Amino acid sequence: MFKHIKIALILSSTLSVIAMTGCQSFTQNKAVSSTQSPQVANQFNLQGKIGVKTPQQSGSAFFTWQQNQEQYDIELSGILGVGKTQISGQPGQVTLNSAKTGTITAESPEELLERATGWQAPITNLVDWVQAKTTSDTAKTEKDAQNRLAQIIEDGWTVNLSYNDAATLPNKLILQQQLETGKENRITMVIQNR
């Protein structure tokens, strides 16, 4: 049972930002994150499925993610029978609540993840990655034939983005972090509705 709760916490924390042919060569990205309008930045509603796989465990969940600037609400369901998990966040406070774990609070999603699982990941970056943007101007990027971001390498993670037809925002993100052991942490995020 502890293993199921730990997997639920990994999935919950991973989303609490909460996931972001014809390729060109890598370039330093200087303008992607600055091209957004401040009035519409970080405001979206997503629904989909997320899966997490580490060398020790794996699991998946359905999610609904509402982001309004710096505040977010995420609901997860179907986590290996653990039940529904609610995550709310704003600058300086992230709260995870479920019937199985109770309430866990931290100052950032990264801190919540580390406290709950001992695992470190750039969770806050998902807000930009699901919008096909980088978090910093030091990220390496690769674009597809339609000039959309196809890959981001940032903060020790490689993010591969996939798109439906002519869509400008990704419907799938695969995040990979190579470990010193030669293994990897992998997060797969499928966005079904925006």
Side-chain angles (χ1 to χ4, degrees):
M1 187 58 168
F2 176 74
K3 182 177 179 182
H4 289 175
I5 291 172
K6 190 170 181 180
I7 290 170
L9 290 173
I10 286 174
L11 289 170
S12 300
S13 301
T14 300
L15 274 175
S16 65
V17 224
I18 62 199
M20 1 200 47
T21 309
C23 292
Q24 301 170 355
S25 62
F26 282 104
T27 58
Q28 289 295 103
N29 179 29
K30 302 252 184 232
V32 175
S33 54
S34 62
T35 59
Q36 67 190 23
S37 165
Q39 291 80 14
V40 295
N42 300 333
Q43 188 161 8
F44 55 81
N45 293 312
L46 304 178
Q47 291 179 327
K49 188 173 183 179
I50 188 166
V52 175
K53 184 175 183 182
T54 72
Q56 296 80 27
Q57 56 199 342
S58 63
S60 63
F62 292 98
F63 70 87
T64 300
W65 178 359
Q66 297 179 343
Q67 182 83 29
N68 186 5
Q69 305 304 333
E70 299 295 320
Q71 298 183 339
Y72 53 89
D73 288 300
I74 299 168
E75 184 176 291
L76 296 158
S77 59
I79 309 171
L80 299 174
V82 174
K84 192 179 290 185
T85 299
Q86 189 74 35
I87 302 161
S88 299
Q90 59 188 359
Q93 183 175 3
V94 181
T95 303
L96 179 150
N97 191 3
S98 76
K100 297 287 184 184
T101 63
T103 301
I104 301 172
T105 303
E107 290 186 15
S108 71
E110 289 81 6
E111 180 187 342
L112 181 65
L113 177 64
E114 188 169 5
R115 283 180 51 196
T117 67
W119 189 39
Q120 295 180 352
I123 307 307
T124 303
N125 293 5
L126 272 175
V127 174
D128 289 320
W129 294 344
V130 298
Q131 298 177 86
K133 299 184 295 185
T134 62
T135 301
S136 69
D137 61 2
T138 59
K140 291 183 179 179
T141 61
E142 189 174 315
K143 294 188 177 182
D144 66 11
Q146 287 78 37
N147 204 32
R148 302 173 296 195
L149 278 181
Q151 188 175 76
I152 301 168
I153 298 178
E154 189 169 29
D155 292 338
W157 288 82
T158 299
V159 183
N160 292 299
L161 299 92
S162 301
Y163 300 82
N164 280 332
D165 303 320
T168 58
L169 294 173
N171 69 308
K172 184 176 183 180
L173 294 88
I174 298 176
L175 291 66
Q176 296 169 279
Q177 180 189 45
Q178 295 300 316
L179 304 174
E180 292 178 6
T181 61
K183 297 183 180 180
E184 69 175 12
N185 290 324
R186 177 186 287 247
I187 301 168
T188 302
M189 187 173 192
V190 177
I191 300 167
Q192 297 165 330
N193 293 304
R194 285 190 177 267

